[in-house]
Amino acid sequence: MSLSQLYQSSGATASVDLTAADPVASFAPESRSLWRRLLRLPAWLLPFTLIAAFGAVFAVVYRDQLLPAPVVQVSRAVLLADLDAAPTAASAHASDHSSAAPIPAAIPPPPAASAGKMLFQAGGWVEPDPLPIHAVALTDGVIEKVNVLEGQEVKKGQVIAELIAEDIRLALKAAERTLAEAEAAVTLQTVQVEVADAEARAMQDQVTVAEARLAEEKDNLARLERIPTGSVSEQDRARARFVVQGQVAEVAARQSQHRASVAKVQAARAQIQVLAAAVASARVMVEKQQLALTRTQIVSPVDGVILALKAAPGQKKVMNMDEHDSSVVATLFEKGHLQVRVDVPLSEARGLTVGQPAIITSDFLPQVEFNGVVTRIVGAADLQRNTLQAKVQVQSPDARLRPEMLCRVKFLEPASGAAINAEASSKSGSVPAQATPEADRGDRVVMVPESAVISAAGEKGEDSLWLVAPDGHTAIHRKVQLGTPRIQDHVAIASGVLAGDLVILPPHVGLADGRRVRPEKVTP
């Protein structure tokens, strides 16, 4: 092949390969032009687009934090007792400034039990009074169902948990069948006693007949022997003697049979007593299985609150175990029976006396003070902590209080005659009348400024309030139910607001449920 021919063949091949290698050549003319324009876009456009997209997502997610929070004036919801105890001077001062401002209630009323100044204070923990109560499984088994949860209120006798009871039901049926068989055996033996008694009476009759016949044969023999010799043959006299002897044996046999029948009656009656004992044992077994079946339902021993659950479906509960919680299903405390265990420093413990009044506060309910009284002082001090522990009973505790909540106890100077006998107090668990606060829990009505209430629109409308959420920077709209008392520009709230809640005062323009707000001033 010449060089010119080789060049022509290679040139043709190259032109075909260039056309096939062009990615744009396979598109339509419009597509090729669009593709070329995209390729000519600047390289910085892609990161700019990504940054803009991330900025848009950030703005959507954090739009509430980015928007300015409106400034609102707030006031705390107070108790009726606190409002009534507010100084009149402060009330007049507040009314001069603004009609919407609530009455100051920063100084709570002194407890009814207090009769003197505060001597000292110490920290403590809430606990059941006098002791926690355990609901235990009184029979071995496996938990099938748990009907309550921690913190739930229960009534006395309410079923807390249930054990698997199929095997106990079968055992109960077997015991009932054994009892029925024993009772049937007693009935049968009673019939047999009647039969044996009838046989004994029949044998007695046979003995009587044999004895009568013996008497007849003896009389016949006596006549024959009185007849002179020769008138009656000796054979007849001998036969008469043999008949008498045979009848004597017959009487003896009948008497033996009668005694045997009497003994048989006595044995049958004794057997009735044995079977009656078996019936009693079978009845005890039935009652035992019925009791075991009843105990498969673990019930609450008192009206109280579930403090801790120690059971779950499938968990095994055993009575006779060294572990003390092996049969415990739940731990409860009686509703309304709470006390505070207080570690009092030894430097202050000399001021402790049983029956001493106290004031109990907790950060959980910062606006509420509870009256208390010292009921017990433990027998030994804590060497490591250098403290002495005392038990302070909480008078009329709030239903929201729970054991192990931290609190602060202010010990007051005891009033005259306030001391009580420690032994009687520990046994009865009660407090004398002079140490019991006179204030009733029914007086603890929550009051809010009347201006903060948004009146209902129409007959079926509901009154409402704007509140600050517990997070302290979010507005929430809540429907409330107004109460009857209206005191010092305050209105009672029957439901919907708790003491200590922050109520947003008007104006309410621009507020939305869940929007961030910035409380400017908390009016006491």
Side-chain angles (χ1 to χ4, degrees):
M1 179 181 293
S2 63
L3 183 60
S4 60
Q5 292 176 348
L6 180 62
Y7 175 78
Q8 289 178 358
S9 61
S10 62
T13 304
S15 63
V16 174
D17 293 338
L18 288 175
T19 304
D22 188 2
V24 184
S26 60
F27 296 160
E30 295 80 2
S31 301
R32 288 199 300 270
S33 60
L34 178 60
W35 180 256
R36 290 191 180 94
R37 287 197 298 270
L38 291 175
L39 292 177
R40 287 197 296 269
L41 290 176
W44 54 266
L45 186 59
L46 179 59
F48 178 79
T49 304
L50 292 176
I51 293 174
F54 280 117
V57 172
F58 182 83
V60 171
V61 174
Y62 298 99
R63 62 183 183 276
D64 292 337
Q65 286 74 7
L66 296 176
L67 293 176
V71 178
V72 295
Q73 291 187 350
V74 295
S75 175
R76 289 193 181 277
V78 297
L79 298 175
L80 176 60
D82 296 339
L83 187 64
D84 292 339
T88 55
S91 175
H93 179 73
S95 60
D96 293 341
H97 280 77
S98 173
S99 60
I103 303 301
I107 303 176
S114 63
K117 63 180 181 179
M118 183 185 72
L119 300 179
F120 56 91
Q121 60 180 339
W125 297 263
V126 179
E127 66 179 12
D129 181 24
L131 295 170
I133 301 171
H134 296 297
V136 300
L138 299 178
T139 185
D140 298 344
V142 178
I143 298 293
E144 180 180 18
K145 183 168 60 174
V146 179
N147 300 325
V148 297
L149 296 174
E150 292 180 343
Q152 180 176 338
E153 294 186 6
V154 294
K155 298 292 184 181
K156 183 177 181 180
Q158 180 178 342
V159 178
I160 296 177
E162 300 177 18
L163 301 177
I164 298 175
E166 281 73 8
D167 52 346
I168 300 180
R169 291 192 182 96
L170 292 176
L172 175 59
K173 291 182 179 179
E176 290 174 346
R177 188 177 299 109
T178 302
L179 175 61
E181 292 176 355
E183 291 175 345
V186 169
T187 303
L188 178 60
Q189 189 64 26
T190 303
V191 175
Q192 291 179 353
V193 168
E194 295 176 356
V195 172
D197 194 14
E199 291 178 353
R201 289 193 299 270
M203 294 305 300
Q204 178 63 42
D205 294 339
Q206 292 179 8
V207 170
T208 303
V209 172
E211 289 177 346
R213 188 174 178 181
L214 174 61
E216 180 183 359
E217 295 297 335
K218 285 183 178 181
D219 181 68
N220 186 26
L221 177 61
R223 288 195 191 97
L224 290 176
E225 289 182 346
R226 285 197 300 268
I227 296 174
T229 303
S231 298
V232 178
S233 63
E234 287 297 327
Q235 184 178 2
D236 292 338
R237 288 192 179 95
R239 185 182 299 111
R241 293 189 190 98
F242 290 146
V243 171
V244 170
Q245 292 177 359
Q247 193 60 37
V248 170
E250 179 69 17
V251 170
R254 295 298 181 183
Q255 288 176 347
S256 298
Q257 292 177 357
H258 177 260
R259 287 193 296 270
S261 62
V262 171
K264 186 177 180 181
V265 171
Q266 294 176 352
R269 289 176 178 171
Q271 186 65 24
I272 287 181
Q273 296 179 355
V274 173
L275 294 177
V279 169
S281 299
R283 187 173 288 112
V284 169
M285 290 302 299
V286 169
E287 293 177 355
K288 182 178 179 180
Q289 296 302 327
Q290 288 176 344
L291 179 61
L293 182 60
T294 303
R295 287 177 172 177
T296 57
Q297 293 185 339
I298 297 94
V299 300
S300 172
V302 294
D303 293 341
V305 181
I306 301 296
L307 181 61
L309 268 180
K310 299 183 179 180
Q315 187 177 6
K316 186 178 181 181
K317 290 298 176 181
V318 182
M319 280 289 296
N320 299 323
M321 289 284 289
D322 294 336
E323 185 181 357
H324 66 280
D325 286 341
S326 62
S327 62
V328 177
V329 173
T331 303
L332 306 89
F333 67 93
E334 284 192 83
K335 185 178 180 182
H337 292 262
L338 293 175
Q339 65 183 6
V340 180
R341 65 179 189 274
V342 189
D343 290 332
V344 181
L346 290 183
S347 59
E348 306 287 354
R350 61 180 176 273
L352 277 176
T353 57
V354 175
Q356 182 177 5
I359 298 177
I360 303 166
T361 58
S362 174
D363 291 339
F364 178 68
L365 298 172
Q367 298 296 320
V368 182
E369 291 184 345
F370 300 98
N371 296 319
V373 61
V374 178
T375 57
R376 283 179 291 163
I377 301 175
V378 299
D382 192 325
L383 180 62
Q384 295 180 350
R385 297 183 180 181
N386 200 30
T387 57
L388 180 64
Q389 191 175 104
K391 306 291 185 179
V392 180
Q393 188 181 68
V394 183
Q395 304 294 315
S396 299
D398 193 285
R400 293 169 291 178
L401 284 180
R402 291 292 185 270
E404 300 305 322
M405 283 185 175
L406 294 176
C407 57
R408 195 76 179 170
V409 180
K410 301 176 182 178
F411 294 88
L412 308 179
E413 183 179 12
S416 59
I420 61 176
N421 183 271
E423 182 178 358
S425 174
S426 61
K427 290 183 178 179
S428 63
S430 60
V431 182
Q434 61 265 26
T436 304
E438 299 175 359
D440 196 308
R441 291 291 298 172
D443 296 336
R444 294 185 177 275
V445 180
V446 179
M447 307 290 289
V448 301
E450 188 174 1
S451 60
V453 179
I454 303 174
S455 300
E459 297 181 355
K460 297 184 179 180
E462 296 183 353
D463 298 324
S464 59
L465 286 173
W466 283 101
L467 303 175
V468 178
D471 58 11
H473 53 76
T474 305
I476 55 175
H477 188 252
R478 182 176 297 173
K479 295 180 180 179
V480 297
Q481 183 179 358
L482 299 182
T484 303
R486 295 176 182 269
I487 303 175
Q488 300 177 353
D489 296 333
H490 281 62
V491 61
I493 302 297
S495 63
V497 178
L498 301 177
D501 286 347
L502 295 179
V503 181
I504 299 178
L505 301 176
H508 301 140
V509 180
L511 294 181
D513 201 1
R515 183 176 180 182
R516 285 192 317 113
V517 294
R518 184 159 53 91
E520 183 182 42
K521 182 180 181 181
V522 178
T523 306

